């Protein structure tokens, strides 16, 4: 039997994606599964599916603040709502598309920690370079690569693939063909990974 | 210290509300809390807040089927997507508004079991009468009372109160001032009830 894979469609602009990103590797490890981090453009998935960002409904937006705070407490991770919101996540996602698969998760987490805990505007190239530096990477070179057609095309392909598979929000996970939307589905995903629930 | 109350805004037309209804009394009992069942019109809350039913986004609607099946398996409760959907839940909610507080939960669960597990159209008065009969109640009398201004006004008042408090979907719960949207927030609600998380 091959080890399970968890495919993780992430966009650094999404607060619940940050929360999920802080938990997913430990979750996967509990089931001997691996995580495939897939950067995608959530805004394009909203456009393609007709879905809307939760904060576009004022009552939902208000609820989000309390809900995010409780989840962060629950996971024991820092969280601070950024002053620049929504943020231009495109650059951070294109950088991810230049990385080897094994490095994408580290980048995703570092970028989302900068934005969702340190209030740094990840839409600014200098911020992305500084985040790269904390990982010991050459930010200047990465940002240059992020402008190549290869990086842009990979992000477009990931986004098209996500929409094709039914993704309409973030974070979204797949275990085989079974889709899970939201960090609030970890409970169900774990039961599928353990075989307690039939996918 | 007084026992905690869980206020539960429910509309029998909502599948996640059915799932929540199967669990909420046992959950409350684990914390010595009581449940206040509050019928409200979800459609009016959608109108008031600009929120929309999830099934209005096709990709979300498709996901719902799998998600609901997994939750039902997770809770170990029956679930069958009804052939009449959406359903006219107004009559069932007005009947709830004629009942003593202590009886509303039994009615809510019985109505939602009829609709969400037996594919019975709870928009039909005869179905509501039959459900009342299973509880040993006089359905004819209840349906007559449901047409009185008192019943209609109570439902309107509950709905207005819900919207005023920030409700935009169902099921929605309150523990004191802290709102929880969705059965997928039970985990957080239990931590608030136990005092592990600060509301």
């Amino acid at each position: 039997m091959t080890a399970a894979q968890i495919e993780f469609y992430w966009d650094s602009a999404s607060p619940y994606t940050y929360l999920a990103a802080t938990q997913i590797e430990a979750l996967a490890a509990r089931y001997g599964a691996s995580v495939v981090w897939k950067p995608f453009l959530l805004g394009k998935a909203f456009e393609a599916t007709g879905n809307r960002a939760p904060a576009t409904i004022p009552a939902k937006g208000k609820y989000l603040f309390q809900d995010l705070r409780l989840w962060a407490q629950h996971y024991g991770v820092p969280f601070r709502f950024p002053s620049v919101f929504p943020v231009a996540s495109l650059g951070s996602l294109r950088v991810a598309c230049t990385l080897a698969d094994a490095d994408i998760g580290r980048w995703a987490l570092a970028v989302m920690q900068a934005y969702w805990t340190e209030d740094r505007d990840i839409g600014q190239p200098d911020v992305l370079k500084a985040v790269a530096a904390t990982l010991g990477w050459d930010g200047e070179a990465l940002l240059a690569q992020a402008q190549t057609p290869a990086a842009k095309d990979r992000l477009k392909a990931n986004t098209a693939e996500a929409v094709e598979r039914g993704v309409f929000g973030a974070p979204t996970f797949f275990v085989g063909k079974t889709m899970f939307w939201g960090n609030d589905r970890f409970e169900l995903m774990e039961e599928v990974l353990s075989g307690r629930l039939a996918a």
Side-chain angles (χ1 to χ4, degrees), chain A:
Chain A
M1 191 181 138
T2 53
Q5 269 193 349
I6 301 171
E7 295 172 272
F8 176 10
Y9 289 96
W10 63 275
D11 182 327
S12 28
S14 149
Y16 292 100
T17 299
Y18 155 69
L19 291 170
T22 66
Q23 306 300 309
I24 191 66
E25 290 287 356
L27 185 158
R30 288 198 287 279
Y31 303 92
S34 60
V35 181
V36 182
W37 294 72
K38 296 198 159 181
F40 85 118
L41 266 172
L42 176 58
K44 291 285 177 194
F46 282 152
E47 273 176 35
T49 60
N51 198 15
R52 289 181 295 178
T56 58
I57 307 291
K60 229 179 207 179
K62 196 179 158 200
Y63 172 72
L64 278 190
F65 284 93
Q66 170 209 285
D67 188 52
L68 291 164
R69 185 179 61 73
L70 285 178
W71 279 113
Q73 267 189 269
H74 171 74
Y75 291 138
V77 298
F79 181 82
R80 177 173 162 189
F81 209 90
S83 45
V84 176
F85 181 83
V87 76
S89 59
L90 182 65
S92 70
L93 299 170
R94 283 183 176 161
V95 166
C97 288
T98 71
L99 299 171
D101 285 349
D103 288 331
I104 299 180
R106 290 174 64 204
W107 171 250
L109 196 56
V111 163
M112 287 194 268
Q113 281 169 337
Y115 182 55
W116 290 109
T117 76
E118 297 165 16
D119 195 17
R120 291 159 73 194
D121 178 0
I122 57 169
Q124 302 299 325
D126 284 350
V127 171
L128 295 181
K129 284 176 204 168
V131 172
T134 65
L135 297 167
W137 298 348
D138 179 349
E140 198 77 50
L142 284 175
L143 264 85
Q145 284 171 48
Q147 293 305 318
T148 59
K152 293 178 181 178
D153 289 351
R154 189 171 170 194
L155 185 58
K156 279 183 200 161
N158 278 5
T159 304
E161 176 192 272
V163 169
E164 174 66 30
R165 294 177 85 178
V167 173
F168 53 82
T172 298
F173 306 90
F174 282 86
V175 174
K177 288 182 179 169
T178 308
M179 178 169 133
F180 299 91
W181 171 47
N183 66 298
D184 50 21
R185 292 302 183 271
F186 278 169
E187 198 177 354
L188 296 180
M189 191 163 76
E190 293 199 50
E191 293 185 64
V192 167
L193 285 165
S194 73
R196 204 188 83 80
L197 288 189

